[in-house]
Amino acid sequence: MDGRDLVRSMKAVGSSGAVQGLRTVGAAWRRRRVDAAALPGRGPERARVPGSVLEAEPGPGGGTLRFGRSVLRIHVAVNGAVFWGWDGAEPEPSYALAGRCPEPDPRAVLEPDKDGGWRVVAERVTVVVSRHGAVEVCTPGGVLLRRDLPPRWWEPLDGGPGRWLQRSEVAADARFFGLGARASGPRLRDGSYRLWNTDPAHVFDRGGDPLHLTMPVHLVVADAAAHLVFHDASWDGTVTLREGAEGAGSGHDRPGTCEVRMDGGPLRCWVIVGTPARVLLVWASLTGPPAVPPAWALGHHHAWWGRGGEQELREIVAGYRDHGLPLDSVHLGTGHADGHRVFTVDQDRFPKLPVLAEELRQDGIRLVSVVRPAVRAEADSAVYDGGVAEDAFVREPSGRLVTGVVGPGESVFPDFTHARVRAWWGGLYAERVGQGFAGFWHAMDEPSSLAAFGESTLPRSARHSLEGRGGDHREAHNVYALCMARAAYEGLLELVPDERPFVLSRSGWAGLQRYGGTWSPEVAPGWPGLRASLSLVLGLGLCGVPYSGTDVGGGDGDSTPELYLRRLQLGAYLPLFRTHAHPRVGREPWELGPEVLEHVRVALVGRRRLLPYFVTSAHQARRTGAPYVRPVWWGSPGNRALRDCEDAFLLGDSLLVAPVLAPGVDRRPVQLPRGRWYDTATGRAYQGPGRVLVDAPLSRIPVLARAGAVVPVRGDGGEPELEVWAPARGRTGGGLVVKDPGDGRREPELDRYVARWEGSRVVVEREGEDGVHAPSCPVRVRGLD
């Protein structure tokens, strides 16, 4: 802790009083002292490279290569994913994998290659290993997609975990995406990106990094093919990217490079090759299909701190109703808790919360409660006493409980890397379920505190179970929130078995989609922050986390009605649509003036109308791994103009959304993929691929529909309808529609529709196993003019 950290600490807690400030600073000093005593400093190290290959041992799906100073294990799974691990590392155990590692592909065989190397040939990929340990990933036709140079390790002479470096080269035309929630994306430019889940403790825009949810997963898109790379190590690290450059006909291309540095952990890697759709499908089969949120969670959420009690909550809900603004859930922050206790509601301010929650549920509004991992260290607290009895809390190497300053006092932290602790914690949600809450959002789960300063509130030397293997917080930090989300998800499955759990985590890691989604708060209120919001959601989707969003109206600083509207209009087309009142622009939308209120109503009603389409996208994501929000190059990754487009996105299979990301804009250019596209507001048709100019008045942002698309929508009376956009003459269209069975866990019905021209009219039919049928709901065909 240096002088700058001290200043930041006092600023963060200055309004809480001098005593609180001293506690915060003291906790930070103690964390540093504990680490200094328990973790050895970096002393003499021994550098190591694999050496030359000595022998090969074929095995299922690949085999084992023994080098002079390391062992390489290669495994091609039946789903086509390729794993390799140095020093004999195996795919398991892994927090990213959903269950066991997939079975090996019996057709993939390790065989000799030229110059003393070896190769594994599979159906969709060829892996070539040189005699010095370079690993090349090629298409079946032999086109090189990625070349990993021989890795390097630095190991302490006195023993302990070593750090490692892996350098890679990709095609000169390749572009990088992913690495979790990155504000500077979605395309990742040259630079270093840290792999350490961090609470920045301030608002951020496109320059903010790292943020709450990082993961060593990146997608590389090039002309030849796309491929996803996952370095399965949860330690602190950095990824340094540098885009390549083509030689403009000279033949002297400069390849793109990727350099991964990790402070520890196994050097093991997964690579998946194919189209973006196939890559995300295989990734979901490895790490688990995305959880489908309840239908209400695909509507409009509103976050409120909860300090005003039941009466203020009723007034907020009444305000939305009186102004004709749809509302599906209200998120209560820490203000509704009793003295910042984890699961205890303040009975003075919320004396009849279960009754109020049931009244709201009858009106279609659910309550969502915030939960932090920190537990107040109080002897009279039932959660604290129970955790001590369970030996559930993280301890220092000396055996003392780790404490940190969160809220008004010192707190302890459960060790979610222990199955017994997860089961205990998951059962604690019964108190909030009994109070009428339908879902939960996890905050400060990096974990962070007032004195973290971008680090963890837990010492790096803090001990964790890590599923019985044992280890410290250097390995557990990045998966801490993932394990907390798992505890909540599994606990809710037991407590409310007839409903789909709703779990929202601020932090996480690879595989978070199995348990729920994520959001990023405190995005800077300026126009760069608006771009950052879109980058975060696109990047997370390409890492396999399709349900995400950012707070609309939250954060610090000045905002204008125009910027508020553009934020709201973008948020209305993101998977998680949550508004968060900001005191400088008015607590609620109706306080921003009648003109703004009318535009707000249009955005919220438009989101409500698209709710069946979002439900369909959610179930498709579970089946295919494809995110709701996709880059415009999703179906044409070889189109370089689309690859460089960062100001628009595809929503599901049918819609293209072009948000307004700059002030004073009433028309904006849109880069279209191939095919015919209709402006959904005017009905005007445009032909892609190409760049067109589209109207973008303050009242709306451009949304275009693909010709032939079948879009399920909500009618004016709440009944389901099909909005069909006419296919081009001589062509057919269609789409899938999921009939959501409600908020339960039953498998939904899936209908496949076909749209085709029959003379001068467009006919829409539902295909079934027993033939073709007429649609079971009203159909409205658009684009005929």
Side-chain angles (χ1 to χ4, degrees):
M1 180 177 184
D2 56 23
R4 286 177 297 179
D5 288 342
L6 180 61
V7 171
R8 292 168 62 187
S9 173
M10 299 309 295
K11 285 183 178 179
V13 301
S15 61
S16 302
V19 174
Q20 180 74 354
L22 290 175
R23 286 179 177 175
T24 303
V25 175
W29 277 112
R30 175 167 178 78
R31 186 177 71 244
R32 301 294 177 91
R33 288 199 307 269
V34 168
D35 282 346
L39 297 178
R42 181 173 293 175
E45 295 177 316
R46 175 178 55 249
R48 174 168 63 91
V49 294
S52 299
V53 65
L54 301 178
E55 61 178 341
E57 180 182 337
T64 302
L65 296 172
R66 302 188 185 280
F67 292 79
R69 304 179 191 89
S70 187
V71 177
L72 176 64
R73 170 83 170 89
I74 298 179
H75 169 105
V76 180
V78 289
N79 59 13
V82 180
F83 168 85
W84 65 79
W86 285 97
D87 289 346
E90 296 287 343
E92 301 176 37
S94 170
Y95 280 106
L97 298 185
R100 301 301 304 271
C101 174
E103 293 296 318
D105 184 350
R107 299 168 297 177
V109 179
L110 180 67
E111 58 187 28
D113 195 45
K114 60 183 179 180
D115 299 327
W118 294 79
R119 66 178 182 179
V120 178
V121 180
E123 180 182 5
R124 297 181 181 271
V125 65
T126 298
V127 182
V128 180
V129 183
S130 76
R131 62 190 180 94
H132 293 298
V135 180
E136 295 181 350
V137 178
C138 307
T139 67
V143 178
L144 178 64
L145 299 178
R146 185 181 194 88
R147 184 172 189 266
D148 281 13
L149 304 178
R152 183 174 297 179
W153 295 266
W154 289 269
E155 299 165 335
L157 295 180
D158 298 334
R163 52 195 180 97
W164 53 263
L165 163 68
Q166 177 68 74
R167 290 192 176 99
S168 309
E169 296 178 349
V170 297
D173 66 286
R175 298 290 182 261
F176 298 100
F177 302 87
L179 294 180
R182 301 291 170 173
S184 59
R187 172 182 159 196
L188 301 176
R189 263 53 175 200
D190 296 359
S192 293
Y193 302 87
R194 191 178 177 194
L195 300 170
W196 187 254
N197 292 345
T198 303
D199 177 7
H202 55 77
V203 297
F204 61 87
D205 54 25
R206 299 198 80 191
D209 193 86
L211 299 180
H212 307 278
L213 200 165
T214 69
M215 60 178 81
V217 181
H218 65 273
L219 184 68
V220 184
V221 182
D223 286 353
H227 68 276
L228 180 143
V229 183
F230 170 46
H231 290 91
D232 193 356
S234 61
W235 290 62
D236 193 357
T238 58
V239 177
T240 302
L241 303 176
R242 183 186 181 193
E243 291 184 348
E246 294 179 292
S250 67
H252 297 289
D253 292 349
R254 174 171 58 81
T257 61
C258 171
E259 180 180 285
V260 180
R261 291 179 179 267
M262 287 283 183
D263 286 347
L267 204 175
R268 53 187 183 180
C269 179
W270 286 92
V271 174
I272 305 169
V273 175
T275 64
R278 181 186 179 275
V279 164
L280 268 296
L281 174 63
V282 175
W283 177 243
S285 72
L286 279 177
T287 61
V292 178
W296 58 263
L298 294 166
H300 171 220
H301 307 248
H302 184 69
W304 172 67
W305 284 110
R307 295 188 179 95
E310 288 185 12
Q311 183 57 36
E312 184 175 327
L313 176 56
R314 290 181 181 275
E315 291 173 359
I316 291 174
V317 173
Y320 273 92
R321 181 179 59 248
D322 294 344
H323 291 90
L325 303 178
L327 180 64
D328 296 279
S329 78
V330 179
H331 293 218
L332 273 62
T334 55
H336 76 291
D338 181 9
H340 288 265
R341 291 180 176 142
V342 183
F343 292 102
T344 306
V345 174
D346 189 327
Q347 294 299 317
D348 292 332
R349 281 177 289 173
F350 295 90
K352 298 180 179 179
L353 187 57
V355 176
L356 175 58
E358 181 57 31
E359 292 176 2
L360 295 177
R361 185 184 286 261
Q362 294 299 321
D363 291 336
I365 301 172
R366 268 65 169 189
L367 291 183
V368 178
S369 174
V370 69
V371 175
R372 293 176 173 178
V375 176
R376 285 284 300 278
E378 296 178 337
D380 61 345
S381 166
V383 176
Y384 176 76
D385 293 342
V388 171
E390 288 279 349
D391 190 21
F393 300 123
V394 178
R395 295 182 180 271
E396 297 175 0
S398 64
R400 175 177 174 174
L401 290 179
V402 173
T403 60
V405 177
V406 179
E410 289 192 348
S411 303
V412 293
F413 301 85
D415 181 8
F416 296 115
T417 68
H418 196 303
R420 173 175 50 80
V421 176
R422 288 196 297 270
W424 166 73
W425 183 266
L428 296 177
Y429 287 77
E431 189 273 344
R432 291 286 169 92
V433 171
Q435 291 288 333
F437 287 102
F440 300 90
W441 54 298
H442 294 170
M444 301 188 77
D445 53 345
E446 291 77 18
S448 67
S449 71
L450 294 176
F453 311 123
E455 296 294 321
S456 172
T457 192
L458 305 182
R460 293 192 170 214
S461 59
R463 306 304 300 170
H464 288 268
S465 168
L466 292 169
E467 315 309 323
R469 295 182 288 111
D472 58 39
H473 196 64
R474 292 175 295 178
E475 182 178 359
H477 172 81
N478 281 336
V479 299
Y480 188 85
L482 173 72
C483 294
M484 180 181 178
R486 178 181 178 182
Y489 183 83
E490 293 176 346
L492 292 172
L493 287 179
E494 294 288 333
L495 294 169
V496 194
D498 296 330
E499 295 185 11
R500 297 198 294 268
F502 177 73
V503 178
L504 200 62
S505 299
R506 190 170 79 171
S507 186
W509 204 61
L512 177 66
Q513 75 278 356
R514 298 192 295 263
Y515 314 119
T518 183
W519 98 103
S520 293
E522 299 173 342
V523 179
W527 293 95
L530 181 55
R531 286 184 173 270
S533 299
L534 178 56
S535 299
L536 290 164
V537 176
L538 277 168
L540 285 165
L542 295 176
C543 292
V545 183
Y547 184 72
S548 67
T550 59
D551 281 340
V552 175
D556 229 355
D558 295 324
S559 185
T560 64
E562 179 192 12
L563 179 55
Y564 179 85
L565 279 175
R566 295 310 193 188
R567 281 185 176 276
L568 188 82
Q569 290 162 352
L570 169 60
Y573 290 97
L574 299 182
L576 172 65
F577 178 30
R578 189 172 90 160
T579 53
H580 193 162
H582 189 289
R584 297 194 186 183
V585 296
R587 288 186 54 82
E588 309 300 340
W590 49 88
E591 299 182 22
L592 303 178
E595 182 181 359
V596 173
L597 176 60
E598 182 56 34
H599 297 333
V600 168
R601 185 180 296 110
V602 170
L604 297 187
V605 170
R607 173 61 177 238
R608 173 65 62 87
R609 181 173 178 272
L610 279 178
L611 186 59
Y613 183 64
F614 275 94
V615 168
T616 293
S617 297
H619 284 280
Q620 285 185 306
R622 184 182 69 84
R623 292 167 179 258
T624 67
Y628 314 16
V629 170
R630 309 165 187 175
V632 292
W633 48 258
W634 178 260
S636 305
N639 186 322
R640 298 191 181 188
L642 294 179
R643 277 212 304 263
D644 293 337
C645 177
E646 301 178 283
D647 61 355
F649 59 91
L650 298 176
L651 179 59
D653 296 327
S654 303
L655 301 179
L656 187 153
V657 182
V660 174
L661 305 176
V665 172
D666 58 8
R667 301 192 78 192
R668 59 148 294 173
V670 179
Q671 191 74 39
L672 294 179
R674 183 179 54 201
R676 191 173 192 177
W677 296 85
Y678 296 97
D679 186 324
T680 58
T682 66
R684 181 177 176 181
Y686 299 91
Q687 190 65 35
R691 193 174 178 86
V692 299
L693 197 61
V694 181
D695 290 338
L698 187 60
S699 60
R700 61 178 175 84
I701 58 175
V703 179
L704 295 96
R706 191 189 304 271
V710 177
V711 181
V713 297
R714 181 186 175 109
D716 294 337
E719 71 285 352
E721 291 183 356
L722 295 181
E723 185 173 78
V724 179
W725 291 89
R729 287 283 183 174
R731 296 183 178 273
T732 61
L736 299 177
V737 176
V738 173
K739 295 181 179 179
D740 188 43
D743 295 339
R745 297 166 58 194
R746 292 188 295 110
E747 191 69 19
E749 297 181 22
L750 188 149
D751 290 335
R752 184 182 301 273
Y753 289 91
V754 173
R756 58 182 177 82
W757 284 96
E758 189 174 276
S760 60
R761 66 190 186 99
V762 173
V763 176
V764 180
E765 298 171 322
R766 178 171 57 88
E767 293 183 335
E769 295 181 356
D770 55 346
V772 177
H773 306 273
S776 57
C777 59
V779 175
R780 186 159 62 105
V781 180
R782 300 189 60 187
L784 295 177
D785 298 332

